[in-house]
Amino acid sequence: MTAKKRAAAAGLLAAVTMLGGCSEMEQLIGGQTAWTPQESDAISIAADGSVTEIVQDTLDESYYDVSELESMINSEITEYNSEHGEDTIRIDSFENEGTAVTLKLWYSSAEDYAEFNNAEFFSGSIIGAQIEGYLFDTSFYQVEDGVADDTALGSSRVFQDMSLQVVIVQAPMEVHVEEGTVIYISTNAEMISSDTVNANGEQEDEGEVLVLPSSKVYEGEEVSYEEEKLANRVYILYDTE
């Protein structure tokens, strides 16, 4: 597939991110009914490191065709798997009602999710994240029983427990950890439940935090791509015990 066609397919896949909630979603994550995604773009991290992605959209018929979209996604996955191994990525379900589409994709690893979507994404240990170059250079809220404290903490507090796992994503996205309890979130996110985070990228009031990833993003000043990327980077640290 040419780079132009690959970009087109990626664009169609990215388009499936605009629809609101779906009453059937609570049945889509490995039979678990405890988690019902509230956002249109959601991922779930399993204990084995695999990633389930759920995206929902209402397609504009004047621009997108449902069968064409499914065909292009299947083509992209087939090509990716031919290079990385059979069943590295799979479509668990593709449902549509008219122009409303619900897509569930399974990835064997966080690395496959990141590469396939050309997206910043990390899931693993704190040390692993540091090796990958993540500086944890933001402020955090401590979380207890699914509720985030309103006092911002520096990264030094996070590093007091290096046994925690961390997920790093680019907002906006809903993130669920299947077997874990969230302990810290960066201040540009909010808790939904003890194991689910709305990584919305929205920074709290400047007076309540220690460090802003980029204050200019929230003040409406002109920002660079790197500054915007840093501001929308969300850290989620959780305990698997």
Side-chain angles (χ1 to χ4, degrees):
M1 180 179 289
T2 66
K4 184 175 181 180
K5 288 183 178 179
R6 182 181 294 277
L12 280 176
L13 182 58
V16 188
T17 58
M18 302 297 290
L19 186 64
C22 172
S23 61
E24 298 178 358
M25 293 304 298
E26 62 184 10
Q27 303 173 9
L28 292 180
I29 302 298
Q32 297 181 11
T33 59
W35 177 55
T36 304
Q38 298 181 10
E39 303 300 321
S40 60
D41 193 358
I43 60 171
S44 182
I45 314 296
D48 63 2
S50 62
V51 178
T52 297
E53 177 186 25
I54 298 170
V55 287
Q56 305 168 81
D57 190 23
T58 299
L59 301 180
D60 186 333
E61 289 183 307
S62 64
Y63 293 99
Y64 300 112
D65 177 80
V66 171
S67 60
E68 180 183 4
L69 173 61
E70 184 175 14
S71 176
M72 293 185 76
I73 294 173
N74 271 307
S75 177
E76 283 288 285
I77 291 174
T78 298
E79 181 174 349
Y80 187 93
N81 287 345
S82 70
E83 300 172 357
H84 297 82
E86 187 177 357
D87 288 333
T88 301
I89 303 174
R90 66 172 183 258
I91 295 180
D92 278 357
S93 65
F94 186 100
E95 302 174 356
N96 73 282
E97 184 175 349
T99 58
V101 175
T102 299
L103 172 66
K104 177 187 173 187
L105 293 174
W106 178 90
Y107 304 82
S108 62
S109 70
E111 292 79 11
D112 291 306
Y113 174 91
E115 183 175 348
F116 183 77
N117 291 284
N118 191 27
E120 179 180 47
F121 183 79
F122 177 87
S123 178
S125 67
I126 294 176
I127 293 177
Q130 291 175 312
I131 292 174
E132 290 295 318
Y134 291 102
L135 302 177
F136 293 75
D137 50 351
T138 187
S139 300
F140 295 85
Y141 290 137
Q142 187 167 2
V143 178
E144 186 173 354
D145 296 328
V147 179
D149 190 53
D150 58 4
T151 301
L153 307 169
S155 58
S156 59
R157 174 68 69 86
V158 169
F159 295 147
Q160 289 179 8
D161 190 350
M162 297 295 288
S163 67
L164 296 177
Q165 296 291 295
V166 59
V167 178
I168 303 171
V169 301
Q170 281 286 303
M173 182 182 296
E174 182 174 333
V175 180
H176 171 73
V177 290
E178 288 187 12
E179 297 183 25
T181 301
V182 177
I183 305 298
Y184 297 100
I185 56 172
S186 52
T187 54
N188 56 349
E190 62 181 10
M191 296 301 300
I192 295 176
S193 66
S194 62
D195 56 10
T196 307
V197 176
N198 180 12
N200 54 27
E202 297 177 3
Q203 188 69 51
E204 294 293 335
D205 184 84
E206 185 173 354
E208 297 181 359
V209 299
L210 298 177
V211 180
L212 281 175
S214 174
S215 59
K216 291 188 293 184
V217 173
Y218 306 103
E219 294 169 359
E221 299 179 25
E222 184 176 350
V223 297
S224 68
Y225 169 78
E226 288 300 323
E227 287 175 319
E228 184 174 1
K229 182 178 179 181
L230 181 61
N232 288 327
R233 181 180 294 163
V234 176
Y235 292 81
I236 301 164
L237 294 100
Y238 65 98
D239 191 352
T240 58
E241 295 182 358

